[in-house]
Amino acid sequence: NRVGVEDLGDDDFYGTSYFVDPEGKFVGEVGSGESAEIMVRDLDLGLLEEVRQRWAFYRDRRPDAYGDLVRP
C-alpha cells in the first residue's frame, strides 16, 4: 500500500500493508499507515497444505450444486 501524499497529486493514500497466514491471522506486525517502509516476513508455506487438509473445502465442494446460484 501507499501512504501519505505524493508529489504527483493531492491524493492522500491511507491504509497499511500486512501479511496473513492461510487462516487470515497476521504474520508479524502490521505496517505503518503513515510512513513508507519495507516489510520482510518469513512465511511458513507448509501451512497451505495443513489448512487445505483441515478445511477440506476443495475435497468436499459440489460444483454441480452451484448452477442455480450463478445462473444469470
Side-chain angles (χ1 to χ4, degrees):
N1 283 340
R2 301 189 291 193
V3 297
V5 179
E6 293 183 350
D7 295 337
L8 302 173
D10 294 333
D11 296 326
D12 186 7
F13 297 98
Y14 62 93
T16 58
S17 294
Y18 54 86
F19 292 86
V20 295
D21 68 13
E23 295 179 320
K25 298 175 187 169
F26 290 117
V27 176
E29 297 295 319
V30 173
S32 172
E34 300 170 2
S35 61
E37 62 186 346
I38 294 176
M39 297 173 57
V40 178
R41 297 286 183 264
D42 288 323
L43 302 175
D44 181 357
L45 299 181
L47 287 174
L48 295 170
E49 185 61 27
E50 181 183 320
V51 170
R52 279 191 193 124
Q53 294 301 321
R54 192 169 356 112
W55 285 356
F57 171 77
Y58 289 107
R59 184 195 70 208
D60 296 339
R61 69 187 180 112
R62 297 217 16 235
D64 57 299
Y66 301 159
D68 292 339
L69 295 172
V70 298
R71 190 170 291 117

